[in-house]
Amino acid sequence: MISEGSSFIKGMALGAVFCLLLAIMGSFSPIQPSSPDAEEEHHHHHVIAPSNKDMQLLSEAHMLELSQKVRVYCAIMVTPKVLVHWAAVNETWAKHCDKTAYYSSESSKALESIDLQEQDEWARIRKALMHAYENAGNLRWFFMARPTTFAIIENLKYLILDKDPSQPFYLGRSQNSGELEYVEYDSGIAFSYEALRRLMEVLKSDDLCPEQSRSLWKVSEEKQLAICLKMRRAPPSGG
């Protein structure tokens, strides 16, 4: 009896492990190409940066076109608490942006920044994007990042060289949370001018894009941004 009971328990355990393995294997599926409808709806793109070899093969004429045709406004979100990262960005990749603006939660004497007087990260992002849009001049591309992000702006320019900024899309490392597809904030987010223009209209409506999340739990800034960007197809407020 003891032997039979032991065998039964072992069989149960092995069966459970087998089922678990099947469940894990079933959760992995090959990535399917996005349908045209999905592309039109979300305008998310995986950023596949060019390799060093690709960049080295570019002709001088192509590099000149890269610097003249694609001009980027970098909006870098900072806080005095991350002063070390802030200084590192200022001395490295931010120099490659065509215009750089640091948006801070409070004033700082250490480095020049735009004090948004806002501690909430989502509210600060909204204000920063509004300011960038209003002060971009003739720049038609925007790149928003944290000071802990490291970006190679030339690679970004190469990636969007053949893209039309009058089309509403944004780029970044995309992730999924349930049915919501969003772009990671930590990796940096690039916006076309048209995407930002439409977002500005949505930001005017608290119903479409509330400044404070109405969820019972905290929704990350990148997810809140994705939700509002999905609403940008709505007609501009005021008709």
Side-chain angles (χ1 to χ4, degrees):
M1 292 294 291
I2 296 176
S3 176
E4 290 178 355
S6 177
S7 297
F8 179 76
I9 293 173
K10 288 180 180 179
M12 290 278 290
L14 288 173
V17 171
F18 182 70
C19 290
L20 178 60
L21 286 173
L22 284 178
I24 293 173
M25 292 176 67
S27 67
F28 290 93
S29 59
I31 298 175
Q32 300 295 328
S34 299
S35 67
D37 291 339
E39 184 79 1
E40 175 64 19
E41 174 66 22
H42 298 297
H43 301 282
H44 289 203
H45 301 268
H46 291 279
V47 173
I48 303 175
S51 65
N52 290 333
K53 184 178 179 180
D54 292 332
M55 296 298 291
Q56 291 171 1
L57 292 176
L58 291 179
S59 64
E60 290 186 10
H62 204 161
M63 288 297 291
L64 182 62
E65 180 187 14
L66 198 65
S67 62
Q68 293 180 343
K69 183 177 179 181
V70 183
R71 304 183 69 232
V72 179
Y73 185 114
C74 293
I76 304 173
M77 312 299 293
V78 297
T79 62
K81 294 181 180 179
V82 290
L83 193 59
V84 174
H85 299 299
W86 185 355
V89 168
N90 193 51
E91 292 300 318
T92 55
W93 63 264
K95 293 182 176 181
H96 298 261
C97 301
D98 296 286
K99 183 174 182 178
T100 301
Y102 295 96
Y103 295 96
S104 180
S105 58
E106 56 189 85
S107 61
S108 173
K109 297 180 180 179
L111 288 173
E112 183 178 351
S113 66
I114 299 168
D115 180 10
L116 298 176
Q117 299 180 352
E118 182 62 66
Q119 294 298 318
D120 181 78
E121 184 73 2
W122 170 233
R124 191 159 66 248
I125 287 175
R126 293 167 60 103
K127 289 183 178 181
L129 290 176
M130 287 179 182
H131 182 275
Y133 176 77
E134 293 169 356
N135 293 273
N138 62 352
L139 301 182
R140 288 299 178 265
W141 293 100
F142 302 84
F143 181 66
M144 182 181 69
R146 284 177 166 151
T148 50
T149 303
F150 183 83
I152 302 176
I153 300 301
E154 287 78 8
N155 283 11
L156 172 62
K157 289 186 174 185
Y158 179 78
L159 181 68
I160 59 179
L161 178 61
D162 61 347
K163 298 189 182 297
D164 185 356
S166 66
Q167 296 299 314
F169 63 84
Y170 65 111
L171 304 98
R173 182 186 173 112
S174 62
Q175 298 288 342
N176 288 86
S177 176
E179 296 183 356
L180 177 67
E181 186 179 9
Y182 65 94
V183 169
E184 285 185 351
Y185 184 18
D186 286 339
S187 300
I189 305 174
F191 302 85
S192 68
Y193 179 84
E194 180 62 16
L196 208 53
R197 186 192 70 79
R198 295 191 185 192
L199 179 61
M200 293 302 103
E201 294 294 337
V202 176
L203 291 179
K204 296 176 183 178
S205 171
D206 195 57
D207 290 331
L208 294 175
C209 184
E211 185 168 337
Q212 299 296 329
S213 174
R214 298 192 179 102
S215 302
L216 296 178
W217 54 87
K218 173 67 175 177
V219 178
S220 67
E221 296 78 22
E222 54 203 3
K223 292 179 182 178
Q224 288 177 306
L225 177 62
I227 293 169
C228 293
L229 283 165
K230 286 181 66 176
M231 296 293 182
R232 68 184 184 277
R233 293 167 59 86
S237 58

